[in-house]
C-alpha cells in the first residue's frame, strides 16, 4: 500500500533523468510531476513514521524474549508484591520484593557492579517517588554482590489512567534490563489532575509535573522548526539522496551554492548566540544549582533473611545432581542433594526461576496472591522430608505449561542448557529456608521413558 506511493513510475523517472542529462530541457509538466512524486514520497514517509509511533505501546511482555539462561541464572526474584492493583491518579502504592544474585552468574552477562533498580512500566504511568534497598535510600546505581540477597521497595504514584503491566526491574550496566515479575495495575482518574510536588533544598516546593515545561517547549520547538525546514528544503529542492551522492563523489559545489553557505553561516551565528544568551539567562535566574547526582552508591547491606545466607547458623544447602528436561511434556526432573542444617525437618515447597513460581500443593495448601501467568500452584511435586542434620538425595518434578508459555523451555536450545533458581524448604511450623540451585540438565525431545 505504501510502496505504490513511494515509488514513482520508472518510465517517468527515466524520461526526466534523460531530460536533465540533455541540458535541463524539462518541460513544466515533467517538473510538476517530479515535485508531486517527491511530495507523495515525503507524505508516505511521514505516514509510516506516524504509524510506527502509534503502535509503540505494545501489550506484550518483553521479558519472554530474553534467553532462558539470562532470566534463570542472573537475578532470582522472590517475595515480589504489589501493595495495590487499583490506584487513583496521585495515589501511592509500593512495589516490594527480594532478589538473590545468582552465584554462577553467566559469563555472557556483565557482573552487576553497576545496577539500577527500577519499575518496568510502559512509560511513566506511575512515577517513582522513592526507593530503598534494604533500609537504605537508593535513588542511584548500586553495586550488587554475587551470591547475596537484597530486599527492595519502590514507592510509586499513579499518573496516567489505564491498565498497565508493572514489573520490578534491575538494569545492569553492560547486561541490559533484567525484568522481574509483572502485575496488572489499574489506574483510575485523569492525568490532568496529577501533581508531583517536591520540596527543594531551599525549602520551596515545586510541582515536577509542570516545572519548567514552558522552557522545554521554548528550547525544543524552535530547533524542531529549523530541523524540519532544513529537511523540507533539501527534500523538495534538490533531493537528499541525490545531494548526498554528489557530495560523496567530491562535487559539493554542484549542490551547495553561495546562498546555501550564507544561510548556513547565519544559522550557525544564531545558534551560538542563542546558546550564549540562554546560558547567561539561566545562570542569572538560577544562581544556585548542583549537578545531577549520578555517582555509584555503595556499600549496600545485603539482607540476612531466610534467604540463601541462612538465619544465624541454620541453613539448607543443595546441590544439583543432574536432571532431564522433557521438551514434549514440559517437565523438568532434577536430582537434588539436600543437606538440612536446621534443627527441624524440612520439605521442599517451591521452586522459583525467572519470576515463575512452581509450588508443591502438599506444602502450599492455599494459593498465594501472585500474578497468574507466573504462578504454577500445582507445578512441583516432591514427597521427601529431610530430617534435621540429614543429607539426602531427592527427586523433584517440575511440570507446567508455563515453562513453555514463558519460553523457559528454550533452555533446550541454549548454548549451555543450564537451569538456575531458588528452592524453598519449609519447616512444619512454616519457617522458610532458601537454597540456590543451578547447573546443566539434559534436554529430551521425545516423549516416553526411552533414554
Ligand atoms: Cu509485562
Amino acid at each position: 500500500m505504501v510502496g505504490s506511493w513511494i515509488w514513482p513510475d520508472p518510465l517517468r523517472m527515466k524520461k526526466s533523468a534523460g531530460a536533465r542529462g540533455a541540458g535541463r530541457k524539462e518541460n513544466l509538466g515533467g517538473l510538476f510531476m517530479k515535485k508531486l512524486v517527491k511530495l507523495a514520497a515525503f507524505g508516505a514517509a511521514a505516514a509510516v513514521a506516524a504509524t510506527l509511533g502509534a503502535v509503540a505501546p505494545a501489550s506484550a511482555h518483553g521479558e519472554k524474549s530474553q534467553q532462558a539462561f539470562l532470566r534463570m541464572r542472573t537475578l532470582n526474584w522472590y517475595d515480589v508484591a504489589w501493595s495495590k492493583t487499583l490506584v487513583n491518579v496521585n495515589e501511592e502504592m509500593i512495589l516490594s520484593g527480594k532478589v538473590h544474585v545468582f552465584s554462577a552468574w553467566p559469563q555472557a552477562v556483565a557482573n552487576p557492579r553497576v545496577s539500577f533498580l527500577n519499575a518496568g512500566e510502559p512509560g511513566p504511568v506511575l512515577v517513582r517517588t522513592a526507593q530503598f534497598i534494604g533500609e537504605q535510600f537508593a535513588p542511584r546505581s548500586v553495586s550488587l554482590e554475587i551470591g547475596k540477597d537484597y530486599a527492595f521497595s519502590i514507592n510509586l504514584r499513579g499518573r496516567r489512567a489505564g491498565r498497565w503491566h508493572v514489573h520490578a526491574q534491575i538494569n545492569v550496566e553492560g547486561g541490559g534490563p533484567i525484568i522481574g515479575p509483572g502485575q496488572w495495575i489499574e489506574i483510575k482518574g485523569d492525568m490532568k489532575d496529577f501533581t508531583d510536588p517536591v520540596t527543594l533544598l531551599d525549602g520551596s516546593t515545586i510541582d515536577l509535573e509542570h516545572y519548567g515545561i514552558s522552557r522545554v517547549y521554548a528550547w525544543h520547538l524552535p530547533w524542531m522548526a529549523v530541523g524540519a525546514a532544513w529537511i523540507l528544503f533539501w527534500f523538495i529542492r534538490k533531493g537528499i539522496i541525490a545531494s548526498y551522492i554528489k557530495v560523496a563523489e567530491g562535487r559539493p559545489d554542484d549542490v551547495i551554492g553561495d546562498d546555501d553557505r550564507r544561510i548556513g553561516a547565519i544559522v550557525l551565528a544564531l545558534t551560538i548566540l542563542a546558546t550564549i544568551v540562554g546560558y547567561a539567562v539561566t545562570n542569572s535566574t538560577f544562581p544556585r544549582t548542583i549537578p545531577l547526582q549520578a555517582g555509584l552508591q555503595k556499600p549496600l547491606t545485603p539482607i540476612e533473611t531466610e534467604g540463601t545466607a541462612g538465619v544465624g547458623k541454620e541453613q539448607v544447602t543443595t546441590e544439583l545432581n543432574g536432571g532431564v528436561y522433557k521438551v514434549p511434556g514440559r517437565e523438568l526432573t532434577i536430582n537434588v542433594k539436600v543437606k538440612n542444617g536446621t534443627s527441624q525437618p524440612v520439605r521442599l515447597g517451591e521452586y522459583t526461576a525467572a519470576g515463575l513460581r512452581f509450588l508443591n500443593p502438599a506444602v502450599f495448601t492455599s494459593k498465594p496472591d501472585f500474578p497468574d501467568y507466573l504462578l504454577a500452584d500445582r507445578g512441583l511435586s516432591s514427597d521427601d522430608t529431610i530430617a534435621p542434620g540429614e543429607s539426602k538425595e531427592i527427586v523433584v518434578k517440575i511440570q507446567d505449561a508455563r515453562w513453555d508459555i514463558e519460553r523457559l523451555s528454550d533452555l533446550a536450545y541454549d548454548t549451555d542448557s543450564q537451569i538456575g533458581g531458588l528452592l524453598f524448604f519449609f519447616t512444619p511450623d512454616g519457617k522458610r529456608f532458601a537454597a540456590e540451585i543451578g547447573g546443566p540438565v539434559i534436554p529430551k525431545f521425545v516423549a516416553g521413558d526411552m533414554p
Side-chain angles (χ1 to χ4, degrees), residues 357-405:
R357 299 178 65 188
F358 302 89
L359 307 185
N360 184 354
V363 175
F364 279 85
T365 45
S366 63
K367 197 172 167 176
D369 189 20
F370 199 68
D372 192 62
Y373 80 108
L374 296 172
L375 184 66
D377 61 327
R378 313 185 69 79
L380 183 146
S381 48
S382 160
D383 302 324
D384 299 86
T385 301
I386 304 106
E390 189 188 8
S391 282
K392 188 174 180 182
E393 181 156 309
I394 63 170
V395 177
V396 183
K397 236 178 217 172
I398 299 151
Q399 182 187 33
D400 195 88
R402 286 170 184 80
W403 265 116
D404 214 41
I405 298 166

Side-chain angles (χ1 to χ4, degrees), residues 214-373:
S214 52
R215 278 168 178 274
V216 173
Y217 283 125
W219 277 107
H220 284 76
L221 289 179
W223 297 136
M224 283 163 76
V226 170
W230 189 90
I231 292 172
L232 208 67
F233 172 79
W234 286 103
F235 204 95
I236 288 181
R237 210 184 70 168
K238 304 192 174 169
I240 288 176
I241 295 172
S243 306
Y244 166 76
I245 290 171
K246 280 185 186 149
V247 173
E249 280 172 351
R251 294 184 287 131
D253 291 345
D254 287 7
V255 195
I256 305 160
D258 285 344
D259 277 350
D260 300 323
R261 291 202 172 82
R262 215 165 289 135
I263 293 171
I266 292 169
V267 173
L268 179 66
L270 285 176
T271 306
I272 294 172
L273 193 72
T275 310
I276 293 171
V277 171
Y279 187 82
V281 169
T282 308
N283 249 357
S284 65
T285 318
F286 308 99
R288 282 170 299 152
T289 56
I290 53 168
L292 282 174
Q293 304 298 293
L296 188 65
Q297 179 181 346
K298 59 181 173 182
L300 275 181
T301 335
I303 43 166
E304 285 218 3
T305 59
E306 72 291 337
T308 46
V311 184
K313 294 266 179 293
E314 300 216 321
Q315 199 176 352
V316 177
T317 52
T318 56
E319 203 182 303
L320 182 67
N321 268 355
V324 174
Y325 180 67
K326 282 188 206 158
V327 178
R330 299 140 169 173
E331 183 188 280
L332 175 74
T333 309
I334 49 174
N335 306 315
V336 186
K337 200 174 158 198
V338 186
K339 188 172 184 296
N340 181 4
T342 76
S343 52
Q344 289 181 73
V346 293
R347 278 188 81 171
L348 177 61
E350 178 177 350
Y351 167 64
T352 181
L356 272 87
R357 299 178 65 188
F358 302 89
L359 307 185
N360 184 354
V363 175
F364 279 85
T365 45
S366 63
K367 197 172 167 176
D369 189 20
F370 199 68
D372 192 62
Y373 80 108

Side-chain angles (χ1 to χ4, degrees), residues 59-63 120 165-167 179 182-184 373:
S59 59
H61 312 288
E63 70 266 30
H165 212 230
V166 179
H167 293 255
I179 301 163
Q183 174 68 286
W184 289 106
Y373 80 108

